[in-house]
Amino acid sequence: MSMMDKFRKGAQKAGIQASAFLKEGSSRIANESQHFVQGFSLPGEAEKAAKILASFLADPEHPESALNAIPKAVLKHARGLAIFQVVKAGFVFSGKVGSGIVIARLPDGSWSAPSCIATGGVGWGLQIGADVTDFVIVLNSEEAVRAFAMGGNVTIGGNISAAAGPIGTGGAVQASLAHPAPMFSYSKSKGLFAGLSLEGTVLIERKDANRHFYGSAVPARDILSGRVPPPEVASRLYEVIEAAEGIDESGLPESAYVPTATGDHLDVRYGGTVFDAEGH
């Protein structure tokens, strides 16, 4: 075979591989984007938030899952929750866009109706190289809830600070709640916890989605203060929270850590690595 024939054969093989990669990548991103875009209405956002939150919380049928979940103690202490998904895209355009909801705990211990939020950058389409990351921000103070209830923008690290939240069970978790940051941030990429920084992230009240669902321009403060009754479309979300708050942790070993940006898990008591993201 001549050098030219070898070159042609190699080029043909490379072309087939590239086409397969593009087809597979486009299909994967199309599926992810379809799931993502369906959540732009409040009912879709509530359904998506329930699925996301369930992946961060312990499964009541498997109590041992509490060892690798947002702690029950953190959840019971929460004054509010912001749950959203971010798609970061490259190759064609670079940027990120996300949407989700925020809910607040009411004085009687129940949860408010959801208010839609979004974060964004450059617009995006079906692009190769998109990553999907799920976020749960636990609002630990009334100040944090007010930041979302005031309307307009909430800048993480600007208006209010956030720290990577603890995961697991035991006394170390309780100690972290003695003087918690206003917000604990949790993130998962490809199903694994990672301590991704939210510093500088801007979350925006989606007045359009709220108005469309609630039928009028209801401000976020009315939604989060309980003046708007919780809708049936958010019932699955409330069920997920209630189940996780009632999980039986008796008999479980004490194990608490904080995810780092690299996915390592640092023991919150000793600062040592407990196990890494690939090994759990």
Side-chain angles (χ1 to χ4, degrees):
M1 184 183 294
S2 69
M3 185 63 71
M4 184 58 70
D5 289 335
K6 287 182 180 179
F7 176 81
R8 287 198 186 103
K9 189 173 181 180
Q12 183 181 26
K13 184 178 179 182
I16 292 171
Q17 290 174 336
S19 297
F21 171 77
L22 288 170
K23 185 177 180 181
E24 180 185 352
S26 296
S27 175
R28 179 170 62 86
I29 300 308
N31 289 335
E32 290 176 345
S33 64
Q34 184 178 14
H35 170 69
F36 182 75
V37 171
Q38 72 150 11
F40 281 137
S41 66
L42 192 144
E45 292 289 6
E47 182 182 346
K48 184 174 69 178
K51 291 178 181 176
I52 290 172
L53 187 59
S55 74
F56 281 80
L57 300 180
D59 178 356
E61 294 184 9
H62 301 280
E64 69 280 2
S65 62
L67 299 173
N68 195 39
I70 295 177
K72 171 181 173 179
V74 169
L75 188 60
K76 290 178 80 72
H77 179 271
R79 308 314 306 159
L81 298 169
I83 307 158
F84 57 101
Q85 187 176 76
V86 171
V87 173
K88 182 179 180 182
F91 190 72
V92 178
F93 299 101
S94 61
K96 60 183 180 180
V97 63
S99 69
I101 61 170
V102 59
I103 57 175
R105 196 187 295 274
L106 302 177
D108 65 358
S110 64
W111 291 90
S112 75
S115 175
C116 283
I117 54 174
T119 184
V122 176
W124 65 289
L126 303 182
Q127 298 156 27
I128 304 302
D131 291 319
V132 178
T133 304
D134 295 331
F135 290 91
V136 173
I137 300 180
V138 177
L139 312 182
N140 291 320
S141 66
E142 292 301 329
E143 177 195 7
V145 174
R146 275 197 303 273
F148 283 92
M150 293 294 289
N153 302 343
V154 177
T155 303
I156 310 297
N159 302 46
I160 198 154
S161 61
I167 291 167
T169 62
V173 172
Q174 296 289 348
S176 71
L177 289 170
H179 302 286
M183 297 189 289
F184 283 151
S185 67
Y186 295 91
S187 58
K188 271 189 175 183
S189 184
K190 298 181 176 67
L192 301 176
F193 278 106
L196 302 179
S197 174
L198 282 173
E199 194 78 12
T201 299
V202 179
L203 295 169
I204 306 158
E205 177 190 354
R206 285 192 58 213
K207 297 179 181 180
D208 58 332
N210 287 341
R211 182 175 62 250
H212 184 266
F213 180 78
Y214 292 113
S216 62
V218 185
R221 66 177 176 274
D222 286 352
I223 298 172
L224 299 180
S225 67
R227 292 184 186 139
V228 175
E232 180 65 27
V233 295
S235 59
R236 176 61 187 146
L237 178 62
Y238 305 136
E239 289 168 4
V240 167
I241 297 171
E242 184 180 0
E245 287 185 328
I247 193 169
D248 182 8
E249 293 182 341
S250 61
L252 292 178
E254 293 196 5
S255 175
Y257 60 90
V258 175
T260 67
T262 59
D264 289 334
H265 292 175
L266 299 182
D267 191 297
V268 296
R269 294 165 295 180
Y270 310 116
T273 300
V274 178
F275 51 83
D276 61 35
E278 299 298 327
H280 72 83

